[in-house]
Amino acid sequence: MTGSADARGASDGALTDPGLAGLTAENRWLRGRLAQRHLLDLAAGVLAAQMRLSPSEAADHLDSLSRATGLSAEDIAADIVNAVDGDRGPSVTALPASDDHALRQLAERRRTRRTAAAAETADTAGEAARTLLDGGLTSFGADSLWLWRRTGPGCLRLTGHAGVGAAEAVAWQWIPPAAPEPFRSVLAANTAVWLEEGPTGGELLPGPSAGAARALLPLTRRDRTIGVALVGWPGPTPLDAAVRRAVAGLLEIAGTVLDTEEPDPATAPVLVDVLDSLAHPAGLLRMRGAPGVRGAAVEHLNDEAVAALGSAAPADGAPLAHAFPAVHGKLARLARRALSTTHPQRVARLPVSPRPGEAPPMLDVRVLPAGEEHAVLLWHTVAAPGLATARAVAMLQDVAPFQDSLTGGETVWAPQAYGILGVDRAEAPVPLTDLRDRVHPDDRPALTELLTALIARQAGAQAVLRIVLADGAVRHVRVAAEPLIDKGVVTGLAGAYQDVSDSRRTEAALTATFDHLTALHDRSELRHHLALQLQQAIVPEVPGLQELPGDLVVAARYRPAAEEYRVGGDWYDVLALPSGRILVAVGDIAGHGIDSVTGMVALRNAQRALAFTGHSARRLMGWLNEVTLRTGGGTTATAVCALYDPEDRGLVWSSAGHLPMLLLRDGRARLLDPPRDVLLGAVAAFAYREQRIGLRPGDTLLLYTDGLIERRHAGLDEGLALLAAAAERLADREPDRLVDELLSTATGDTDDDTSIVAVHVRGGPPER
């Protein structure tokens, strides 16, 4: 205790100084006493609990231990708290005087505990950061510490730092929800990242140089991640297991400090002001209840929303169902998804008016996350041309508009551009002028020519470029652009990227086929070779498992006919639609040869295009029938067209004379009797019917063509029964193994071609 008395005496002299230095010394002394008192109280609390003593008796016992061992009360307290915290290092009384290494370890543990106690008593996160750095981390060579707190919308806000310049602290004040690496990995996996030679993948992190060592650690409290800490070193530094344990132990206290920080200011009043300034309807929703089962209330509606809803607009705080009785379920689901993913949820149009007979339909609906409990609802009552155009472009598969500034402004991409060009959503969009490093070396002259036409000649231009992705794969991308000209100067570029890889692969397959077969003299053989190659190019196998929205997993196979002259018109398709539903289809054109294959291509492409209209399965089948009648030259076909809704796991389907789908549920196989409607191309203006079934987690649905079961000397009923029995035997297989083994054991012996699709439902109960 003598050391503490000396420190007090030295400080007492400073107390007589009326200047700033005296006040600073007084403040330092008071904080030291507070940290010391905090540590002694912790140890006394431990003794009281373990020895069943009163608080005063525990404090007396701590003093007795100090006198008996000759150690300061602080050292004894640090040993007691460390032991309870899982640090079972040796006591000083059990160490021989010559064991310098163990004595140093013990002193280091005590110093760490005293530092932690001082940080716990800090008034702010900034003060705690300085205490942790100066009192502990500097002994391991560290020279900076950053503490970010996780805020409601998923951002990281810098709440404390030490050893950091003011300008750099301002630059890293906020880290957005789409956090760059390695912040994203730390938050997602809740594990530390240790970079002994700094980031190696080009990640941008605070620090003096790219090669300086960093450590990023999640800050947790009560089993939840509440922030991230970054420890910096002046240069490359080995961080062995002992250093990592010590640093992690010191920063455990930072989670406690951040958890006791004042919460962020309420966002609701600010949002209300913003919503009231908008010229279209908007509202603020507040989510109530546990995640996954949350209800919603309308916390505020702006004047435009009140006018749109009419005289029955509810008061603030009313349940969502009172304000939007006809669409409240859909809006609640959009809000829950927005808060769970921190990404906006959009829908072009809700199916009916929010108040039938009183209010117009809700158009261009968007729900945005705004904290942990709030979501912003935006909509229009009159279609906005810009949004409608954007949706129309989005319906074109693999097309993404872009706009570049050549005068220091930013580049703007449509969301699809990130996928087309293989760029992570967390990265900034890449201007067309900087795309060279991502382009295949052989295509860089084409990029140069494209830019020359746009900028130097001030003319619109297009080119197809091979883009090399991070994994080495190559994607063919068409770039079409126009220059933006102001007073004779090109100030920017506007255009679109389109992924044309599929058509290029088909073109390459056909070219290779013709090159290989030109040597064949038999014209008939050439036609059938071409038919087979065309069939395989247009309807390729799905070699593995294809993941789709709504917990769907799909495997599909096509087996050509045994004889080349019997190449047929089988097709299948599984496609995610803009409405959120999934198209699942299979069909079979009557006949064989190249005419059947070209007819199949026409029907498959027509069905794909028609599915984008958002209409029902029976309507799609009726339209497909008209296409067959008008373009098929007398051809007929069988088909199944099914639409799966991930929201309620409902499957609605129509059948044009096709074989029944087979449902595998709980290990049992059941044939789903289809509506008994006519073939495609048989009767004009035929009204097809549809049926519905709800799918469950674990269900597998099989769609197939007759080549799988048709036998020369047996009826279809026998073939269907054999298929059901085989499916039950293989019910525990993953979809890809299921289709492979069903093909290998197929009972069909007509040498016809065969298609089979397995659609498996994963996941928990559907969202309601």
Side-chain angles (χ1 to χ4, degrees):
M1 300 296 285
T2 305
S4 297
D6 291 341
R8 172 69 183 270
S11 297
D12 283 341
L15 294 178
T16 62
D17 184 351
L20 179 62
L23 293 175
T24 301
E26 179 183 4
N27 183 58
R28 187 183 304 114
W29 178 81
L30 289 173
R31 293 213 170 278
R33 291 289 295 169
L34 182 61
Q36 182 188 53
R37 186 71 262 163
H38 179 62
L39 180 58
L40 296 177
D41 288 344
L42 284 175
V46 171
L47 292 176
Q50 291 182 343
M51 303 179 67
R52 301 181 183 276
L53 301 174
S54 68
S56 60
E57 290 173 333
D60 290 341
H61 187 66
L62 189 61
D63 285 337
S64 299
L65 290 174
S66 174
R67 289 192 298 272
T69 59
L71 299 173
S72 70
E74 272 188 288
D75 284 345
I76 293 293
D79 289 346
I80 292 172
V81 176
N82 281 335
V84 172
D85 203 28
D87 187 347
R88 299 290 180 178
S91 167
V92 69
T93 57
L95 292 172
S98 59
D99 195 344
D100 292 338
H101 176 68
L103 287 170
R104 284 195 300 272
Q105 283 186 319
L106 184 60
E108 180 62 35
R109 283 194 293 272
R110 289 170 176 165
R111 186 168 61 84
T112 298
R113 179 56 59 186
R114 287 194 293 269
T115 299
E120 280 186 306
T121 59
D123 288 336
T124 65
E127 187 180 321
R130 289 188 292 274
T131 300
L132 291 171
L133 179 65
D134 297 339
L137 294 174
T138 52
S139 63
F140 304 108
D143 65 353
S144 63
L145 174 62
W146 307 70
L147 300 177
W148 286 274
R149 186 170 185 260
R150 204 171 192 172
T151 65
C155 296
L156 291 173
R157 179 172 62 88
L158 185 65
T159 58
H161 56 83
V164 176
E168 193 173 19
V170 170
W172 288 90
Q173 182 71 25
W174 290 96
I175 296 175
E181 290 291 1
F183 288 96
R184 193 183 325 138
S185 298
V186 174
L187 290 170
N190 198 33
T191 56
V193 173
W194 304 88
L195 306 170
E196 297 183 337
E197 297 181 353
T200 57
E203 301 93 337
L204 184 62
L205 290 175
S209 66
R214 318 280 207 290
L216 285 91
L217 299 92
L219 302 177
T220 59
R221 181 71 170 163
R222 301 184 183 93
D223 297 325
R224 62 188 179 95
T225 302
I226 63 170
V228 174
L230 186 147
V231 183
W233 281 262
T237 305
L239 304 174
D240 59 25
V243 171
R244 296 184 183 193
R245 279 196 304 271
V247 170
L250 268 173
L251 291 179
E252 283 181 2
I253 199 63
T256 303
V257 172
L258 292 192
D259 200 35
T260 55
E261 280 270 288
E262 287 297 317
D264 296 330
T267 57
V270 179
L271 289 173
V272 167
D273 291 341
V274 173
L275 298 184
D276 285 344
S277 69
L278 298 178
H280 58 79
L284 182 64
L285 308 182
R286 185 179 183 88
M287 307 305 294
R288 301 176 298 192
V293 293
R294 285 178 158 184
V298 179
E299 192 158 294
H300 179 73
L301 294 171
N302 68 0
D303 291 342
E304 286 71 19
V306 172
L309 294 175
S311 59
D316 291 351
L320 190 64
H322 290 183
F324 306 91
V327 294
H328 68 92
K330 180 75 172 180
L331 292 176
R333 285 193 293 272
L334 291 174
R336 287 196 294 270
R337 289 176 186 168
L339 293 185
S340 64
T341 64
T342 70
H343 291 302
Q345 301 295 310
R346 295 180 175 87
V347 62
R349 175 188 174 99
L350 290 181
V352 294
S353 163
R355 290 177 168 273
E358 300 179 32
M362 300 176 72
L363 308 176
D364 305 316
V365 179
R366 287 161 290 167
V367 179
L368 294 78
E372 294 180 347
E373 297 182 345
H374 288 91
V376 172
L377 169 63
L378 307 171
W379 79 94
H380 290 78
T381 55
V382 178
L387 293 173
T389 301
R391 288 198 307 274
V393 171
M395 289 183 185
L396 299 174
Q397 283 192 304
D398 303 320
V399 175
F402 72 90
Q403 184 170 325
D404 293 345
S405 171
L406 301 182
T407 58
E410 62 180 3
T411 290
V412 179
W413 280 359
Q416 299 93 326
Y418 292 90
I420 291 174
L421 297 176
V423 177
D424 191 281
R425 288 292 185 96
E427 298 181 30
V430 181
L432 181 61
T433 52
D434 295 343
L435 206 61
R436 182 179 179 83
D437 289 343
R438 297 176 183 268
V439 174
H440 191 284
D442 293 345
D443 289 352
R444 289 172 184 170
L447 174 61
T448 301
E449 175 59 28
L450 174 67
L451 293 172
T452 300
L454 292 168
I455 299 172
R457 296 198 291 269
Q458 299 188 358
Q462 63 172 313
V464 175
L465 306 173
R466 283 171 290 177
I467 303 297
V468 183
L469 306 185
D471 60 2
V474 175
R475 184 167 290 161
H476 291 80
V477 176
R478 175 177 283 114
V479 186
E482 288 282 338
L484 301 177
I485 302 172
D486 183 9
K487 298 177 181 178
V489 177
V490 178
T491 60
L493 305 174
Y497 297 113
Q498 181 184 19
D499 185 353
V500 295
S501 302
D502 288 343
S503 61
R504 284 299 173 119
R505 281 193 290 269
T506 301
E507 180 183 327
L510 293 177
T511 301
T513 300
F514 277 112
D515 289 345
H516 175 68
L517 298 177
T518 49
L520 299 175
H521 301 291
D522 189 330
R523 187 177 183 85
S524 175
E525 186 177 1
L526 174 60
R527 285 171 56 86
H528 294 298
H529 268 292
L530 178 59
L532 177 59
Q533 294 295 323
L534 184 61
Q535 165 72 273
Q536 293 172 338
I538 299 299
V539 190
E541 284 192 356
V542 179
L545 292 176
Q546 181 182 359
E547 303 276 355
L548 287 169
D551 298 321
L552 285 192
V553 184
V554 176
R557 298 289 187 271
Y558 171 73
R559 183 183 66 185
E563 299 293 335
E564 289 174 357
Y565 73 92
R566 292 189 60 82
V567 172
D570 282 14
W571 88 85
Y572 60 82
D573 208 358
V574 182
L575 180 66
L577 301 174
S579 64
R581 295 184 295 178
I582 311 295
L583 170 70
V584 183
V586 67
D588 187 4
I589 295 278
H592 300 87
I594 194 167
D595 291 336
S596 294
V597 174
T598 53
M600 173 273 292
V601 173
L603 286 188
R604 182 174 184 265
N605 288 342
Q607 185 178 53
R608 276 197 154 202
L610 292 169
F612 275 75
T613 64
H615 280 277
S616 63
R618 62 184 180 84
R619 188 73 178 273
L620 297 183
M621 194 68 83
W623 283 337
L624 203 60
N625 181 49
E626 298 303 315
V627 172
T628 309
L629 286 165
R630 286 163 174 73
T631 63
T635 297
T636 59
T638 67
V640 170
C641 175
L643 293 171
Y644 174 76
D645 190 343
E647 289 191 0
D648 61 2
R649 294 206 176 102
L651 184 87
V652 179
W653 85 95
S654 285
S655 175
H658 200 79
L659 295 167
M661 296 185 291
L662 187 144
L663 176 65
L664 268 175
R665 174 174 288 171
D666 298 329
R668 302 300 301 273
R670 175 164 68 96
L671 295 170
L672 303 180
D673 288 332
R676 301 186 182 280
D677 290 337
V678 300
L679 307 178
L680 297 175
V683 179
F686 187 84
Y688 287 87
R689 295 167 291 175
E690 62 185 27
Q691 293 182 191
R692 183 187 185 282
I693 186 173
L695 298 184
R696 305 173 186 170
D699 283 355
T700 299
L701 194 67
L702 292 177
L703 297 84
Y704 51 92
T705 56
D706 54 10
L708 189 67
I709 63 161
E710 198 172 36
R711 298 173 63 84
R712 291 188 178 90
H713 305 295
L716 284 178
D717 288 345
E718 182 179 342
L720 290 171
L722 290 172
L723 174 62
E728 286 188 353
R729 287 196 305 273
L730 304 171
D732 60 343
R733 305 294 199 274
E734 284 290 313
D736 52 348
R737 290 191 56 197
L738 175 64
V739 293
D740 286 336
E741 294 190 35
L742 284 175
L743 273 179
S744 67
T745 59
T747 60
D749 63 359
T750 59
D751 298 329
D752 200 359
D753 54 345
T754 300
S755 291
I756 180 171
V757 180
V759 180
H760 179 71
V761 183
R762 289 180 176 168
E767 198 170 5
R768 300 198 182 276

